[in-house]
């Protein structure tokens, strides 16, 4: 297995519920080490850009409105097979289908307000990480950033 990095977002619903600490603790306990963390309030433009791949979907406008409705906590997590591990810990996008004990089963409200986001593949992770963080804001050896 390879060491990977993934982008993780704790969404406005989970921040509002006071779940930041619990969710980060779940990721850390599973061996995902934070290399960068920040709390931001996304602008409409930033949210539209981040979710541009979904711009034709019927839920796009509502998703952008939700993602800009309050602060989010964005982090870079590193670990063995971090992308798959993080997705496993999050659970299914639709919380009614998320396995018991997963972050979404515990904290999500519905399929849109689903508590967390995680990158779905190495290339997506690279793009999503650089959307929020400069290389100098990420802990770790410089050569690992290449
Ligand atoms: P995320 O993993 O961040 O990726 C895209 C997001 O779009 C997803 O989580 C949900 O917040 C939202 N989403 C996906 N499918 C639907 C849907 N059918 N209805 C509303 N929102 C959705």
């Amino acid at each position: 297995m390879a060491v990977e990095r993934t982008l993780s977002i704790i969404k406005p619903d989970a921040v509002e519920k006071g779940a930041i600490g619990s969710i980060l603790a779940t990721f850390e306990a599973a061996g995902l080490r934070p290399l960068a963390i920040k709390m931001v309030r996304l602008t409409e433009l930033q949210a539209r850009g981040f979710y541009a791949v979904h711009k034709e979907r019927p839920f796009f406008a509502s998703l952008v409105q939700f993602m800009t409705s309050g602060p989010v906590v964005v982090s870079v997590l590193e670990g063995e097979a971090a992308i798959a591990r993080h997705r496993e810990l999050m659970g299914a996008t639709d919380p009614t289908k998320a396995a018991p004990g997963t972050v979404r089963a515990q904290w999500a409200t519905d399929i849109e307000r689903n508590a967390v986001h995680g990158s779905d593949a190495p290339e997506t992770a690279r793009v999503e990480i650089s959307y929020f963080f400069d290389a100098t804001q990420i802990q770790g050896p410089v050569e690992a950033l290449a």
Side-chain angles (χ1 to χ4, degrees):
M1 266 193 299
V3 173
E4 294 174 337
R5 293 177 179 184
T6 192
L7 185 85
S8 178
I9 304 179
I10 302 176
K11 298 185 180 184
D13 59 329
V15 172
E16 173 66 24
K17 289 175 186 175
I20 298 170
S22 165
I23 293 172
L24 288 176
T26 297
F27 295 151
E28 281 194 297
L32 299 176
R33 171 186 294 272
L35 300 184
I37 303 180
K38 65 181 172 187
M39 182 180 249
V40 291
R41 178 84 181 250
L42 298 180
T43 64
E44 187 183 335
L45 206 61
Q46 286 170 328
R48 291 176 69 88
F50 184 76
Y51 280 121
V53 65
H54 296 301
K55 66 178 189 296
E56 306 301 338
R57 309 286 281 275
F59 57 80
F60 182 67
S62 172
L63 175 63
V64 168
Q65 190 174 31
F66 162 54
M67 289 300 290
T68 57
S69 67
V72 298
V73 173
V74 191
S75 60
V76 178
L77 304 177
E78 183 178 78
E80 288 287 333
I83 296 167
R85 185 170 295 184
H86 183 250
R87 292 180 71 79
E88 209 175 288
L89 294 165
M90 288 194 300
T93 303
D94 180 350
T96 65
K97 296 182 180 136
T102 59
V103 171
R104 282 171 171 154
Q106 189 175 359
W107 294 109
T109 307
D110 55 39
I111 193 168
E112 177 179 273
R113 304 170 71 84
N114 63 355
V116 281
H117 167 84
S119 309
D120 62 5
E123 182 50 29
T124 328
R126 266 188 292 278
V127 171
E128 292 185 353
I129 289 169
S130 64
Y131 196 80
F132 286 105
F133 296 98
D134 292 337
T136 55
Q137 297 171 316
I138 301 170
Q139 301 304 306
V142 170
E143 57 271 23
L145 300 172

